[in-house]
Amino acid sequence: MSLIRLFRRDPSSTPLPYTASPLLLFFRDILLLLRYSWALPGILLPLRLGHTTPLDELYLSFGSLISFLVQVVLTIAQIAFLVSIPLMVIFQLPAFWIFVYIAIALALNYAVCMFVLNGFERILVSNVPEPKQQGHEGECWFFINGVANSQYWLQNNIDQLAYSFGRKITGIHNRTAGLIFDLIECLIQRCFSYATGDIRSAYYLLKRELLNPNCDKVVMILHSQGGIEGSLVIDWLLDELPQDLLHKLEVYTFGNAANHFNNPRQSSTCQPIVRSIGHIEHYANSQDAVSHLGVLHFTNVPNRYLGRLFIRPGSGHMMNQHYLDNMFTLGPDHKVLESNEFMDMEVDMTWSESDKLLNKRDENREMTLLPIPNIEISNSSESRQSNGTQAWRVKDFSRLWQYRNGGTPGRAPGLRQENDRSLL
């Protein structure tokens, strides 16, 4: 029986606090990148070129081909640029000409990215017609994309999200500067808590809607580097907004690259435990290198990475092609199918003696079942409980799944979560 553990890690590999020295964090992140270099090919695999849909990143359309080819050229050029600078210093070229060379290279890179990949609009809205359903009037949904995302790909992301959940999706464009420069930006954002323009835009939009009395729910969906940006936005919101407004916020991440995700308890004496943000869920592919650098590496550090975690056995990091297509599969009518391999996987609730000790001393864990288990996901029918009781599946624990096709989450029977209101 093949099982993927969701809540277990080697205690000896506890990462540095995210508030540690930025330079030390930067150094440790480089080592972490080398540690998980084996998983880097899994970012683009499987390609599925014969089974892609028009909204997938590698679908053979003009926009996708331009986005992909320009990123390939930029990646080669940026590697050559970074290698050339120390060589120029070694050969003692005049400092003036080195600075001129750097300025011209960065200006050309910026021009290509802005005019070919990014465009000049930072905020995009889904082009999918909204279904006429009651109860969505007070909801605001936002999406922040990951690295190397052109405006064309971002539009496809928010359109597929709109089809999947039956809501208008506002995309906040995390503009690309080319893959290599994007990765450097990730390290700077993550280690130095540096707020780029898209982070400030996201903070402004979310804060505005959380303060809006006509908005009763704000949903933020994050992918890859968007997880880093979203975690910084949350830190700012926790600093400034009252708890009752923050509880309107729900966060769902895919391939999250952040090194922390905060959601403090409203009160140390509150039972059942109620946290500031209404709900947080993380979705990750088990062989996704970015997930290993983020959510899968940090999630079990106490009070470091709050939220429920779902791991899908498999590789791939692209939002539509590897995450949404597998977890919220669309049918020919652009409706989410009621069954897919991941959501139908059985959940086996078991826990070891060491896990019991961990759970006893860690009273602030985000996810609590009764009793507190380790959760394992299995794609084997052998995990069905032999005593005849109901076999729980991934879809029974996923709140985001209940939003599919314009739905609204309800209460799951027989279980409870620390984040009250309902399990899901």
Side-chain angles (χ1 to χ4, degrees):
M1 177 165 53
S2 174
L3 298 176
I4 302 294
R5 280 202 176 274
L6 297 192
F7 296 99
R8 172 167 290 180
R9 63 176 290 107
D10 180 5
S12 63
S13 62
T14 300
L16 290 170
Y18 69 90
T19 53
S21 164
L23 291 176
L24 190 55
L25 287 172
F26 190 89
F27 175 72
R28 289 289 289 270
D29 274 357
I30 297 298
L31 295 180
L32 189 64
L33 178 62
L34 295 175
R35 175 182 173 184
Y36 289 112
S37 59
W38 60 269
L40 290 175
I43 290 177
L44 293 176
L45 301 175
L47 296 176
R48 299 177 61 248
L49 295 181
H51 301 87
T52 54
T53 68
L55 294 177
D56 286 344
E57 288 82 357
L58 296 185
Y59 181 75
L60 297 180
S61 65
F62 179 76
S64 288
L65 285 173
I66 290 296
S67 297
F68 181 77
L69 292 176
V70 172
Q71 285 290 354
V72 171
V73 172
L74 286 175
T75 299
I76 297 172
Q78 289 172 3
I79 293 174
F81 168 73
L82 294 175
V83 171
S84 68
I85 294 176
L87 291 177
M88 294 172 74
V89 174
I90 291 173
F91 288 104
Q92 299 182 349
L93 270 68
F96 172 78
W97 293 112
I98 294 178
F99 286 124
V100 169
Y101 167 73
I102 293 174
I104 293 175
L106 293 179
L108 287 174
N109 188 90
Y110 177 82
V112 169
C113 290
M114 288 302 297
F115 288 98
V116 181
L117 296 178
N118 292 325
F120 295 90
E121 296 293 330
R122 191 180 291 276
I123 308 300
L124 283 72
V125 179
S126 54
N127 292 325
V128 176
E130 295 178 65
K132 301 297 182 180
Q133 297 190 35
Q134 295 183 348
H136 297 175
E137 299 84 1
E139 297 183 8
C140 298
W141 288 56
F142 297 95
F143 172 72
I144 306 178
N145 61 274
V147 299
N149 233 36
S150 65
Q151 186 181 82
Y152 178 84
W153 279 338
L154 173 61
Q155 189 66 57
N156 285 350
N157 290 155
I158 59 178
D159 286 350
Q160 181 149 343
L161 288 168
Y163 280 126
S164 299
F165 304 114
R167 273 88 168 173
K168 180 180 77 172
I169 309 293
T170 299
I172 303 168
H173 194 189
N174 166 27
R175 292 172 176 168
T176 180
L179 178 61
I180 303 301
F181 287 177
D182 284 354
L183 294 177
I184 294 173
E185 183 183 68
C186 284
L187 293 175
I188 294 172
Q189 288 177 332
R190 188 162 113 153
C191 301
F192 294 84
S193 298
Y194 177 70
T196 50
D198 33 304
I199 295 176
R200 294 191 292 270
S201 296
Y203 168 72
Y204 167 78
L205 291 173
L206 265 74
K207 182 179 179 181
R208 183 186 68 182
E209 296 305 331
L210 288 169
L211 291 171
N212 182 359
N214 296 320
C215 180
D216 53 33
K217 181 181 294 185
V218 178
V219 177
M220 180 167 59
I221 300 176
L222 309 168
H223 174 234
S224 184
Q225 184 187 5
I228 300 175
E229 302 192 351
S231 71
L232 297 177
V233 170
I234 288 173
D235 291 345
W236 286 4
L237 293 174
L238 289 169
D239 284 341
E240 295 198 5
L241 294 186
Q243 302 287 338
D244 59 329
L245 295 182
L246 282 171
H247 212 64
K248 298 195 300 183
L249 177 63
E250 297 181 12
V251 185
Y252 303 94
T253 79
F254 295 85
N256 196 337
N259 64 2
H260 72 282
F261 228 84
N262 285 324
N263 191 13
R265 294 173 60 170
Q266 289 189 0
S267 170
S268 61
T269 59
C270 181
Q271 294 294 335
I273 295 171
V274 178
R275 296 193 177 274
S276 300
I277 297 170
H279 197 88
I280 299 176
E281 287 179 355
H282 306 287
Y283 296 82
N285 286 329
S286 62
Q287 298 173 45
D288 176 4
V290 178
S291 295
H292 279 286
L293 297 172
V295 60
L296 296 182
H297 184 72
F298 296 102
T299 192
N300 284 328
V301 180
N303 296 318
R304 175 71 172 262
Y305 226 100
L306 279 297
R308 177 168 296 166
L309 172 61
F310 299 89
I311 300 179
R312 172 185 166 268
S315 62
H317 182 65
M318 290 180 283
M319 179 66 178
N320 288 3
Q321 193 158 327
H322 295 137
Y323 278 105
L324 294 180
D325 284 359
N326 288 304
M327 297 179 176
F328 299 88
T329 310
L330 294 178
D333 59 352
H334 289 108
K335 298 291 184 182
V336 176
L337 301 177
E338 290 302 309
S339 178
N340 65 62
E341 183 178 356
F342 173 69
M343 286 295 172
D344 288 339
M345 292 171 71
E346 295 181 4
V347 175
D348 180 22
M349 291 181 286
T350 61
W351 54 328
S352 65
E353 291 301 319
S354 61
D355 296 324
K356 293 178 184 179
L357 294 175
L358 173 63
N359 291 326
K360 286 180 180 179
R361 67 173 179 266
D362 180 8
E363 298 177 353
N364 293 328
R365 292 187 72 165
E366 174 76 5
M367 192 195 72
T368 301
L369 305 179
L370 297 178
I372 301 175
N374 272 334
I375 287 188
E376 299 173 340
I377 292 180
S378 171
N379 58 4
S380 169
S381 60
E382 295 177 7
S383 65
R384 182 175 297 277
Q385 299 179 21
S386 59
N387 58 10
T389 59
Q390 178 182 1
W392 295 100
R393 302 184 183 276
V394 174
K395 63 177 62 175
D396 298 317
F397 295 89
S398 169
R399 180 180 178 87
L400 188 58
W401 174 254
Q402 296 185 56
Y403 281 113
R404 71 194 184 282
N405 301 327
T408 301
R411 182 178 294 275
L415 295 171
R416 96 167 221 265
Q417 184 193 11
E418 286 182 341
N419 220 349
D420 203 33
R421 287 202 298 184
S422 70
L423 166 69
L424 307 173

